[in-house]
Amino acid sequence: MMAVAHPKLGVRPFLPADAPLLREIFRDSIEELTADDYTEAQQEAWASTADDVGDFTAKLSGRLTLVATLEGSPVGFASLEGKDKIDMLYVHPAATGQGVGAMLVEALEKLAGGRGVTRLAVDASDSARGFFEKRGYVAQQRNSISIGDEWLANTTLHKQLAAKREVS
């Protein structure tokens, strides 16, 4: 048996069968990665938005959703709402710091750019804001969103994508 020094990351399209596991990744990442920025009640309200697996599956199916895999197993996901807004980016806490989020965002940027999009937007949680800023996203405005009885803050950020060059 050989140990793998550099586990292989991959990206593939979302399949409806992924939804239960992605729902767990969604909930685990909120519960374990956002405690410094949100109260337990805010985290629970946020995580509860995926309680209905049918609704969650429909949401992911209705967007361009990519699944990040590590040695073939899903460890994160990201979705593009419409053509120019990153709607979701969630990485399992055990896989953070391994390039999973960066790989997913790069893939969405390339796909959007290939479709002629020149600017991407994201409403980033306070916990994810620094991640996006390191990748060239610039804060535009603060937002307060209501989920159940809780209010959560986030920040809208934009990134200019490179113009698609014509090959001559």
Side-chain angles (χ1 to χ4, degrees):
M1 186 162 121
M2 291 182 60
V4 178
H6 300 285
K8 181 139 174 73
L9 288 175
V11 176
R12 64 169 174 77
F14 166 76
L15 302 169
D18 294 325
L21 182 55
L22 299 188
R23 196 171 142 253
E24 288 180 35
I25 291 170
F26 177 81
R27 183 171 274 284
D28 289 349
S29 71
I30 292 167
E31 290 174 357
E32 294 185 37
L33 302 175
T34 68
D36 289 345
D37 299 301
Y38 299 95
T39 67
E40 281 186 35
Q42 288 172 317
Q43 289 175 300
E44 183 50 39
W46 182 1
S48 74
T49 62
D51 282 352
D52 184 317
V53 75
D55 287 348
F56 190 68
T57 303
K59 182 175 183 174
L60 295 177
S61 295
R63 290 160 170 67
L64 187 154
T65 302
L66 300 176
V67 177
T69 60
L70 184 61
E71 296 299 318
S73 298
V75 292
F77 66 98
S79 66
L80 198 60
E81 180 180 1
K83 61 180 185 173
D84 62 356
K85 183 177 182 184
I86 296 174
D87 179 48
M88 292 204 261
L89 172 64
Y90 292 90
V91 175
H92 191 278
T96 59
Q98 297 179 43
V100 175
M103 180 182 66
L104 285 165
V105 169
E106 280 180 29
L108 289 180
E109 289 173 357
K110 286 179 183 173
L111 287 167
R115 295 175 172 184
V117 173
T118 58
R119 184 183 78 179
L120 266 184
V122 63
D123 290 336
S125 69
D126 291 349
S127 304
R129 180 176 172 173
F131 169 87
F132 283 102
E133 288 175 334
K134 286 178 188 169
R135 281 151 189 81
Y137 288 77
V138 179
Q140 303 297 311
Q141 70 182 35
R142 290 285 288 162
N143 309 300
S144 291
I145 57 168
S146 173
I147 303 175
D149 294 335
E150 295 296 323
W151 286 92
L152 286 81
N154 68 24
T155 302
T156 299
L157 298 104
H158 292 164
K159 179 178 181 177
Q160 289 299 130
L161 301 179
K164 188 176 173 184
R165 288 192 264 176
E166 295 297 320
V167 179
S168 49

PDB file of all heavy atoms in Angstrom, residues 76-111:
ATOM      1  N   GLY A  76     -16.601  19.597  -1.597  1.00  0.00           N
ATOM      2  CA  GLY A  76     -17.063  20.969  -1.695  1.00  0.00           C
ATOM      3  C   GLY A  76     -17.889  21.159  -2.947  1.00  0.00           C
ATOM      4  O   GLY A  76     -17.949  20.270  -3.803  1.00  0.00           O
ATOM      5  N   PHE A  77     -18.539  22.328  -3.022  1.00  0.00           N
ATOM      6  CA  PHE A  77     -19.327  22.630  -4.205  1.00  0.00           C
ATOM      7  C   PHE A  77     -19.491  24.135  -4.334  1.00  0.00           C
ATOM      8  O   PHE A  77     -19.326  24.883  -3.372  1.00  0.00           O
ATOM      9  CB  PHE A  77     -20.690  21.934  -4.171  1.00  0.00           C
ATOM     10  CG  PHE A  77     -21.612  22.406  -3.080  1.00  0.00           C
ATOM     11  CD1 PHE A  77     -22.601  23.349  -3.341  1.00  0.00           C
ATOM     12  CD2 PHE A  77     -21.499  21.911  -1.790  1.00  0.00           C
ATOM     13  CE1 PHE A  77     -23.452  23.783  -2.340  1.00  0.00           C
ATOM     14  CE2 PHE A  77     -22.345  22.346  -0.778  1.00  0.00           C
ATOM     15  CZ  PHE A  77     -23.323  23.286  -1.059  1.00  0.00           C
ATOM     16  N   ALA A  78     -19.795  24.558  -5.542  1.00  0.00           N
ATOM     17  CA  ALA A  78     -20.030  25.970  -5.828  1.00  0.00           C
ATOM     18  C   ALA A  78     -21.039  26.056  -6.954  1.00  0.00           C
ATOM     19  O   ALA A  78     -21.111  25.157  -7.792  1.00  0.00           O
ATOM     20  CB  ALA A  78     -18.731  26.669  -6.230  1.00  0.00           C
ATOM     21  N   SER A  79     -21.813  27.132  -6.953  1.00  0.00           N
ATOM     22  CA  SER A  79     -22.799  27.284  -8.021  1.00  0.00           C
ATOM     23  C   SER A  79     -22.836  28.708  -8.538  1.00  0.00           C
ATOM     24  O   SER A  79     -22.506  29.658  -7.830  1.00  0.00           O
ATOM     25  CB  SER A  79     -24.191  26.851  -7.550  1.00  0.00           C
ATOM     26  OG  SER A  79     -24.672  27.715  -6.554  1.00  0.00           O
ATOM     27  N   LEU A  80     -23.238  28.804  -9.793  1.00  0.00           N
ATOM     28  CA  LEU A  80     -23.371  30.079 -10.482  1.00  0.00           C
ATOM     29  C   LEU A  80     -24.857  30.310 -10.715  1.00  0.00           C
ATOM     30  O   LEU A  80     -25.523  29.491 -11.349  1.00  0.00           O
ATOM     31  CB  LEU A  80     -22.624  30.006 -11.811  1.00  0.00           C
ATOM     32  CG  LEU A  80     -22.254  31.286 -12.523  1.00  0.00           C
ATOM     33  CD1 LEU A  80     -21.343  32.159 -11.657  1.00  0.00           C
ATOM     34  CD2 LEU A  80     -21.561  30.965 -13.838  1.00  0.00           C
ATOM     35  N   GLU A  81     -25.359  31.411 -10.158  1.00  0.00           N
ATOM     36  CA  GLU A  81     -26.759  31.776 -10.359  1.00  0.00           C
ATOM     37  C   GLU A  81     -26.826  32.717 -11.555  1.00  0.00           C
ATOM     38  O   GLU A  81     -26.087  33.697 -11.602  1.00  0.00           O
ATOM     39  CB  GLU A  81     -27.320  32.474  -9.116  1.00  0.00           C
ATOM     40  CG  GLU A  81     -28.763  32.880  -9.245  1.00  0.00           C
ATOM     41  CD  GLU A  81     -29.294  33.565  -8.002  1.00  0.00           C
ATOM     42  OE1 GLU A  81     -28.532  33.753  -7.033  1.00  0.00           O
ATOM     43  OE2 GLU A  81     -30.471  33.917  -8.020  1.00  0.00           O
ATOM     44  N   GLY A  82     -27.683  32.394 -12.501  1.00  0.00           N
ATOM     45  CA  GLY A  82     -27.703  33.180 -13.721  1.00  0.00           C
ATOM     46  C   GLY A  82     -26.361  33.011 -14.404  1.00  0.00           C
ATOM     47  O   GLY A  82     -25.729  31.962 -14.326  1.00  0.00           O
ATOM     48  N   LYS A  83     -25.899  34.065 -15.034  1.00  0.00           N
ATOM     49  CA  LYS A  83     -24.603  33.934 -15.718  1.00  0.00           C
ATOM     50  C   LYS A  83     -23.467  34.633 -14.991  1.00  0.00           C
ATOM     51  O   LYS A  83     -22.315  34.419 -15.309  1.00  0.00           O
ATOM     52  CB  LYS A  83     -24.715  34.467 -17.146  1.00  0.00           C
ATOM     53  CG  LYS A  83     -25.077  35.929 -17.229  1.00  0.00           C
ATOM     54  CD  LYS A  83     -25.163  36.396 -18.655  1.00  0.00           C
ATOM     55  CE  LYS A  83     -25.414  37.895 -18.661  1.00  0.00           C
ATOM     56  NZ  LYS A  83     -25.354  38.481 -19.960  1.00  0.00           N
ATOM     57  N   ASP A  84     -23.802  35.458 -13.962  1.00  0.00           N
ATOM     58  CA  ASP A  84     -22.748  36.311 -13.412  1.00  0.00           C
ATOM     59  C   ASP A  84     -22.729  36.455 -11.894  1.00  0.00           C
ATOM     60  O   ASP A  84     -22.184  37.406 -11.362  1.00  0.00           O
ATOM     61  CB  ASP A  84     -22.833  37.695 -14.050  1.00  0.00           C
ATOM     62  CG  ASP A  84     -24.159  38.398 -13.755  1.00  0.00           C
ATOM     63  OD1 ASP A  84     -25.042  37.798 -13.116  1.00  0.00           O
ATOM     64  OD2 ASP A  84     -24.295  39.553 -14.192  1.00  0.00           O
ATOM     65  N   LYS A  85     -23.312  35.483 -11.167  1.00  0.00           N
ATOM     66  CA  LYS A  85     -23.293  35.586  -9.705  1.00  0.00           C
ATOM     67  C   LYS A  85     -22.965  34.239  -9.073  1.00  0.00           C
ATOM     68  O   LYS A  85     -23.657  33.246  -9.310  1.00  0.00           O
ATOM     69  CB  LYS A  85     -24.646  36.073  -9.170  1.00  0.00           C
ATOM     70  CG  LYS A  85     -24.634  36.269  -7.670  1.00  0.00           C
ATOM     71  CD  LYS A  85     -25.942  36.819  -7.158  1.00  0.00           C
ATOM     72  CE  LYS A  85     -25.875  37.037  -5.655  1.00  0.00           C
ATOM     73  NZ  LYS A  85     -27.158  37.483  -5.127  1.00  0.00           N
ATOM     74  N   ILE A  86     -21.894  34.228  -8.283  1.00  0.00           N
ATOM     75  CA  ILE A  86     -21.572  33.032  -7.510  1.00  0.00           C
ATOM     76  C   ILE A  86     -22.585  32.977  -6.380  1.00  0.00           C
ATOM     77  O   ILE A  86     -22.678  33.890  -5.563  1.00  0.00           O
ATOM     78  CB  ILE A  86     -20.129  33.075  -6.964  1.00  0.00           C
ATOM     79  CG1 ILE A  86     -19.131  33.072  -8.118  1.00  0.00           C
ATOM     80  CG2 ILE A  86     -19.888  31.895  -6.016  1.00  0.00           C
ATOM     81  CD1 ILE A  86     -17.682  33.255  -7.699  1.00  0.00           C
ATOM     82  N   ASP A  87     -23.379  31.919  -6.388  1.00  0.00           N
ATOM     83  CA  ASP A  87     -24.467  31.810  -5.409  1.00  0.00           C
ATOM     84  C   ASP A  87     -24.031  31.060  -4.164  1.00  0.00           C
ATOM     85  O   ASP A  87     -24.373  31.431  -3.058  1.00  0.00           O
ATOM     86  CB  ASP A  87     -25.660  31.114  -6.056  1.00  0.00           C
ATOM     87  CG  ASP A  87     -26.817  30.943  -5.094  1.00  0.00           C
ATOM     88  OD1 ASP A  87     -27.176  31.927  -4.431  1.00  0.00           O
ATOM     89  OD2 ASP A  87     -27.354  29.825  -5.004  1.00  0.00           O
ATOM     90  N   MET A  88     -23.290  29.970  -4.346  1.00  0.00           N
ATOM     91  CA  MET A  88     -22.872  29.173  -3.199  1.00  0.00           C
ATOM     92  C   MET A  88     -21.439  28.710  -3.392  1.00  0.00           C
ATOM     93  O   MET A  88     -21.039  28.396  -4.505  1.00  0.00           O
ATOM     94  CB  MET A  88     -23.764  27.946  -3.048  1.00  0.00           C
ATOM     95  CG  MET A  88     -25.178  28.272  -2.655  1.00  0.00           C
ATOM     96  SD  MET A  88     -25.932  26.863  -1.840  1.00  0.00           S
ATOM     97  CE  MET A  88     -26.844  26.151  -3.158  1.00  0.00           C
ATOM     98  N   LEU A  89     -20.708  28.684  -2.285  1.00  0.00           N
ATOM     99  CA  LEU A  89     -19.372  28.092  -2.243  1.00  0.00           C
ATOM    100  C   LEU A  89     -19.203  27.521  -0.848  1.00  0.00           C
ATOM    101  O   LEU A  89     -19.150  28.271   0.133  1.00  0.00           O
ATOM    102  CB  LEU A  89     -18.279  29.133  -2.521  1.00  0.00           C
ATOM    103  CG  LEU A  89     -16.835  28.638  -2.311  1.00  0.00           C
ATOM    104  CD1 LEU A  89     -16.488  27.522  -3.296  1.00  0.00           C
ATOM    105  CD2 LEU A  89     -15.848  29.784  -2.433  1.00  0.00           C
ATOM    106  N   TYR A  90     -19.147  26.204  -0.764  1.00  0.00           N
ATOM    107  CA  TYR A  90     -19.023  25.531   0.523  1.00  0.00           C
ATOM    108  C   TYR A  90     -17.995  24.415   0.405  1.00  0.00           C
ATOM    109  O   TYR A  90     -18.024  23.632  -0.555  1.00  0.00           O
ATOM    110  CB  TYR A  90     -20.376  24.951   0.977  1.00  0.00           C
ATOM    111  CG  TYR A  90     -21.350  26.053   1.303  1.00  0.00           C
ATOM    112  CD1 TYR A  90     -22.189  26.575   0.330  1.00  0.00           C
ATOM    113  CD2 TYR A  90     -21.391  26.605   2.575  1.00  0.00           C
ATOM    114  CE1 TYR A  90     -23.056  27.616   0.609  1.00  0.00           C
ATOM    115  CE2 TYR A  90     -22.253  27.644   2.868  1.00  0.00           C
ATOM    116  CZ  TYR A  90     -23.079  28.145   1.878  1.00  0.00           C
ATOM    117  OH  TYR A  90     -23.924  29.185   2.176  1.00  0.00           O
ATOM    118  N   VAL A  91     -17.097  24.358   1.382  1.00  0.00           N
ATOM    119  CA  VAL A  91     -16.051  23.335   1.429  1.00  0.00           C
ATOM    120  C   VAL A  91     -16.136  22.656   2.788  1.00  0.00           C
ATOM    121  O   VAL A  91     -16.298  23.330   3.822  1.00  0.00           O
ATOM    122  CB  VAL A  91     -14.654  23.971   1.221  1.00  0.00           C
ATOM    123  CG1 VAL A  91     -13.554  22.937   1.394  1.00  0.00           C
ATOM    124  CG2 VAL A  91     -14.576  24.634  -0.151  1.00  0.00           C
ATOM    125  N   HIS A  92     -16.031  21.331   2.787  1.00  0.00           N
ATOM    126  CA  HIS A  92     -16.072  20.609   4.056  1.00  0.00           C
ATOM    127  C   HIS A  92     -14.920  21.084   4.942  1.00  0.00           C
ATOM    128  O   HIS A  92     -13.794  21.276   4.451  1.00  0.00           O
ATOM    129  CB  HIS A  92     -15.968  19.096   3.812  1.00  0.00           C
ATOM    130  CG  HIS A  92     -16.268  18.325   5.048  1.00  0.00           C
ATOM    131  ND1 HIS A  92     -15.338  18.109   6.031  1.00  0.00           N
ATOM    132  CD2 HIS A  92     -17.430  17.762   5.475  1.00  0.00           C
ATOM    133  CE1 HIS A  92     -15.900  17.433   7.023  1.00  0.00           C
ATOM    134  NE2 HIS A  92     -17.165  17.203   6.709  1.00  0.00           N
ATOM    135  N   PRO A  93     -15.174  21.277   6.239  1.00  0.00           N
ATOM    136  CA  PRO A  93     -14.119  21.771   7.133  1.00  0.00           C
ATOM    137  C   PRO A  93     -12.821  20.956   7.083  1.00  0.00           C
ATOM    138  O   PRO A  93     -11.737  21.520   7.189  1.00  0.00           O
ATOM    139  CB  PRO A  93     -14.767  21.689   8.521  1.00  0.00           C
ATOM    140  CG  PRO A  93     -16.230  21.810   8.252  1.00  0.00           C
ATOM    141  CD  PRO A  93     -16.460  21.122   6.931  1.00  0.00           C
ATOM    142  N   ALA A  94     -12.912  19.652   6.885  1.00  0.00           N
ATOM    143  CA  ALA A  94     -11.707  18.814   6.831  1.00  0.00           C
ATOM    144  C   ALA A  94     -10.883  19.061   5.562  1.00  0.00           C
ATOM    145  O   ALA A  94      -9.722  18.670   5.504  1.00  0.00           O
ATOM    146  CB  ALA A  94     -12.089  17.333   6.918  1.00  0.00           C
ATOM    147  N   ALA A  95     -11.476  19.719   4.566  1.00  0.00           N
ATOM    148  CA  ALA A  95     -10.772  19.946   3.297  1.00  0.00           C
ATOM    149  C   ALA A  95     -10.366  21.405   3.097  1.00  0.00           C
ATOM    150  O   ALA A  95      -9.823  21.751   2.050  1.00  0.00           O
ATOM    151  CB  ALA A  95     -11.654  19.493   2.134  1.00  0.00           C
ATOM    152  N   THR A  96     -10.589  22.263   4.086  1.00  0.00           N
ATOM    153  CA  THR A  96     -10.201  23.663   3.926  1.00  0.00           C
ATOM    154  C   THR A  96      -8.685  23.785   3.896  1.00  0.00           C
ATOM    155  O   THR A  96      -7.967  22.956   4.441  1.00  0.00           O
ATOM    156  CB  THR A  96     -10.768  24.557   5.054  1.00  0.00           C
ATOM    157  OG1 THR A  96     -10.297  24.079   6.308  1.00  0.00           O
ATOM    158  CG2 THR A  96     -12.282  24.580   5.032  1.00  0.00           C
ATOM    159  N   GLY A  97      -8.211  24.811   3.204  1.00  0.00           N
ATOM    160  CA  GLY A  97      -6.780  25.060   3.114  1.00  0.00           C
ATOM    161  C   GLY A  97      -6.052  24.167   2.127  1.00  0.00           C
ATOM    162  O   GLY A  97      -4.825  24.174   2.067  1.00  0.00           O
ATOM    163  N   GLN A  98      -6.795  23.391   1.332  1.00  0.00           N
ATOM    164  CA  GLN A  98      -6.173  22.484   0.371  1.00  0.00           C
ATOM    165  C   GLN A  98      -6.403  22.924  -1.073  1.00  0.00           C
ATOM    166  O   GLN A  98      -6.138  22.163  -2.001  1.00  0.00           O
ATOM    167  CB  GLN A  98      -6.701  21.063   0.579  1.00  0.00           C
ATOM    168  CG  GLN A  98      -6.356  20.503   1.949  1.00  0.00           C
ATOM    169  CD  GLN A  98      -6.914  19.105   2.150  1.00  0.00           C
ATOM    170  OE1 GLN A  98      -6.843  18.268   1.255  1.00  0.00           O
ATOM    171  NE2 GLN A  98      -7.462  18.846   3.314  1.00  0.00           N
ATOM    172  N   GLY A  99      -6.941  24.131  -1.261  1.00  0.00           N
ATOM    173  CA  GLY A  99      -7.150  24.647  -2.608  1.00  0.00           C
ATOM    174  C   GLY A  99      -8.493  24.314  -3.222  1.00  0.00           C
ATOM    175  O   GLY A  99      -8.742  24.622  -4.386  1.00  0.00           O
ATOM    176  N   VAL A 100      -9.384  23.698  -2.449  1.00  0.00           N
ATOM    177  CA  VAL A 100     -10.692  23.284  -2.966  1.00  0.00           C
ATOM    178  C   VAL A 100     -11.525  24.502  -3.372  1.00  0.00           C
ATOM    179  O   VAL A 100     -12.038  24.579  -4.493  1.00  0.00           O
ATOM    180  CB  VAL A 100     -11.454  22.422  -1.930  1.00  0.00           C
ATOM    181  CG1 VAL A 100     -12.859  22.104  -2.422  1.00  0.00           C
ATOM    182  CG2 VAL A 100     -10.677  21.152  -1.617  1.00  0.00           C
ATOM    183  N   GLY A 101     -11.663  25.469  -2.467  1.00  0.00           N
ATOM    184  CA  GLY A 101     -12.455  26.663  -2.765  1.00  0.00           C
ATOM    185  C   GLY A 101     -11.887  27.445  -3.930  1.00  0.00           C
ATOM    186  O   GLY A 101     -12.618  27.886  -4.821  1.00  0.00           O
ATOM    187  N   ALA A 102     -10.563  27.610  -3.947  1.00  0.00           N
ATOM    188  CA  ALA A 102      -9.916  28.349  -5.036  1.00  0.00           C
ATOM    189  C   ALA A 102     -10.146  27.649  -6.369  1.00  0.00           C
ATOM    190  O   ALA A 102     -10.434  28.304  -7.383  1.00  0.00           O
ATOM    191  CB  ALA A 102      -8.419  28.487  -4.768  1.00  0.00           C
ATOM    192  N   MET A 103     -10.061  26.332  -6.384  1.00  0.00           N
ATOM    193  CA  MET A 103     -10.274  25.574  -7.608  1.00  0.00           C
ATOM    194  C   MET A 103     -11.708  25.757  -8.114  1.00  0.00           C
ATOM    195  O   MET A 103     -11.937  25.950  -9.310  1.00  0.00           O
ATOM    196  CB  MET A 103      -9.987  24.090  -7.359  1.00  0.00           C
ATOM    197  CG  MET A 103     -10.167  23.201  -8.561  1.00  0.00           C
ATOM    198  SD  MET A 103      -9.858  21.449  -8.180  1.00  0.00           S
ATOM    199  CE  MET A 103     -11.210  21.101  -7.053  1.00  0.00           C
ATOM    200  N   LEU A 104     -12.676  25.717  -7.214  1.00  0.00           N
ATOM    201  CA  LEU A 104     -14.072  25.890  -7.607  1.00  0.00           C
ATOM    202  C   LEU A 104     -14.333  27.293  -8.153  1.00  0.00           C
ATOM    203  O   LEU A 104     -14.995  27.453  -9.178  1.00  0.00           O
ATOM    204  CB  LEU A 104     -14.988  25.607  -6.413  1.00  0.00           C
ATOM    205  CG  LEU A 104     -15.155  24.141  -6.042  1.00  0.00           C
ATOM    206  CD1 LEU A 104     -15.777  24.001  -4.652  1.00  0.00           C
ATOM    207  CD2 LEU A 104     -15.996  23.402  -7.078  1.00  0.00           C
ATOM    208  N   VAL A 105     -13.810  28.310  -7.463  1.00  0.00           N
ATOM    209  CA  VAL A 105     -14.027  29.689  -7.923  1.00  0.00           C
ATOM    210  C   VAL A 105     -13.351  29.915  -9.269  1.00  0.00           C
ATOM    211  O   VAL A 105     -13.936  30.527 -10.174  1.00  0.00           O
ATOM    212  CB  VAL A 105     -13.558  30.709  -6.860  1.00  0.00           C
ATOM    213  CG1 VAL A 105     -13.530  32.124  -7.415  1.00  0.00           C
ATOM    214  CG2 VAL A 105     -14.473  30.639  -5.639  1.00  0.00           C
ATOM    215  N   GLU A 106     -12.133  29.412  -9.441  1.00  0.00           N
ATOM    216  CA  GLU A 106     -11.449  29.541 -10.737  1.00  0.00           C
ATOM    217  C   GLU A 106     -12.258  28.892 -11.850  1.00  0.00           C
ATOM    218  O   GLU A 106     -12.367  29.436 -12.950  1.00  0.00           O
ATOM    219  CB  GLU A 106     -10.061  28.898 -10.674  1.00  0.00           C
ATOM    220  CG  GLU A 106      -9.015  29.757 -10.029  1.00  0.00           C
ATOM    221  CD  GLU A 106      -7.652  29.060 -10.008  1.00  0.00           C
ATOM    222  OE1 GLU A 106      -7.368  28.230 -10.904  1.00  0.00           O
ATOM    223  OE2 GLU A 106      -6.880  29.349  -9.077  1.00  0.00           O
ATOM    224  N   ALA A 107     -12.824  27.725 -11.577  1.00  0.00           N
ATOM    225  CA  ALA A 107     -13.621  27.031 -12.587  1.00  0.00           C
ATOM    226  C   ALA A 107     -14.857  27.850 -12.955  1.00  0.00           C
ATOM    227  O   ALA A 107     -15.188  27.991 -14.140  1.00  0.00           O
ATOM    228  CB  ALA A 107     -14.013  25.643 -12.092  1.00  0.00           C
ATOM    229  N   LEU A 108     -15.544  28.417 -11.955  1.00  0.00           N
ATOM    230  CA  LEU A 108     -16.720  29.243 -12.242  1.00  0.00           C
ATOM    231  C   LEU A 108     -16.328  30.500 -13.014  1.00  0.00           C
ATOM    232  O   LEU A 108     -17.041  30.907 -13.938  1.00  0.00           O
ATOM    233  CB  LEU A 108     -17.446  29.624 -10.955  1.00  0.00           C
ATOM    234  CG  LEU A 108     -18.201  28.501 -10.236  1.00  0.00           C
ATOM    235  CD1 LEU A 108     -18.871  29.037  -8.968  1.00  0.00           C
ATOM    236  CD2 LEU A 108     -19.219  27.820 -11.137  1.00  0.00           C
ATOM    237  N   GLU A 109     -15.192  31.109 -12.650  1.00  0.00           N
ATOM    238  CA  GLU A 109     -14.733  32.304 -13.379  1.00  0.00           C
ATOM    239  C   GLU A 109     -14.449  31.975 -14.841  1.00  0.00           C
ATOM    240  O   GLU A 109     -14.820  32.738 -15.740  1.00  0.00           O
ATOM    241  CB  GLU A 109     -13.480  32.880 -12.712  1.00  0.00           C
ATOM    242  CG  GLU A 109     -13.753  33.532 -11.376  1.00  0.00           C
ATOM    243  CD  GLU A 109     -12.495  33.959 -10.626  1.00  0.00           C
ATOM    244  OE1 GLU A 109     -11.366  33.705 -11.113  1.00  0.00           O
ATOM    245  OE2 GLU A 109     -12.644  34.540  -9.541  1.00  0.00           O
ATOM    246  N   LYS A 110     -13.800  30.841 -15.093  1.00  0.00           N
ATOM    247  CA  LYS A 110     -13.487  30.445 -16.472  1.00  0.00           C
ATOM    248  C   LYS A 110     -14.764  30.158 -17.255  1.00  0.00           C
ATOM    249  O   LYS A 110     -14.895  30.558 -18.413  1.00  0.00           O
ATOM    250  CB  LYS A 110     -12.568  29.222 -16.489  1.00  0.00           C
ATOM    251  CG  LYS A 110     -11.143  29.555 -16.107  1.00  0.00           C
ATOM    252  CD  LYS A 110     -10.271  28.320 -16.118  1.00  0.00           C
ATOM    253  CE  LYS A 110      -8.868  28.672 -15.656  1.00  0.00           C
ATOM    254  NZ  LYS A 110      -8.027  27.498 -15.487  1.00  0.00           N
ATOM    255  N   LEU A 111     -15.697  29.463 -16.640  1.00  0.00           N
ATOM    256  CA  LEU A 111     -16.961  29.164 -17.319  1.00  0.00           C
ATOM    257  C   LEU A 111     -17.731  30.448 -17.626  1.00  0.00           C
ATOM    258  O   LEU A 111     -18.244  30.619 -18.733  1.00  0.00           O
ATOM    259  CB  LEU A 111     -17.809  28.221 -16.467  1.00  0.00           C
ATOM    260  CG  LEU A 111     -17.330  26.778 -16.418  1.00  0.00           C
ATOM    261  CD1 LEU A 111     -18.040  26.016 -15.303  1.00  0.00           C
ATOM    262  CD2 LEU A 111     -17.555  26.087 -17.751  1.00  0.00           C
TER     263      LEU A 111
END
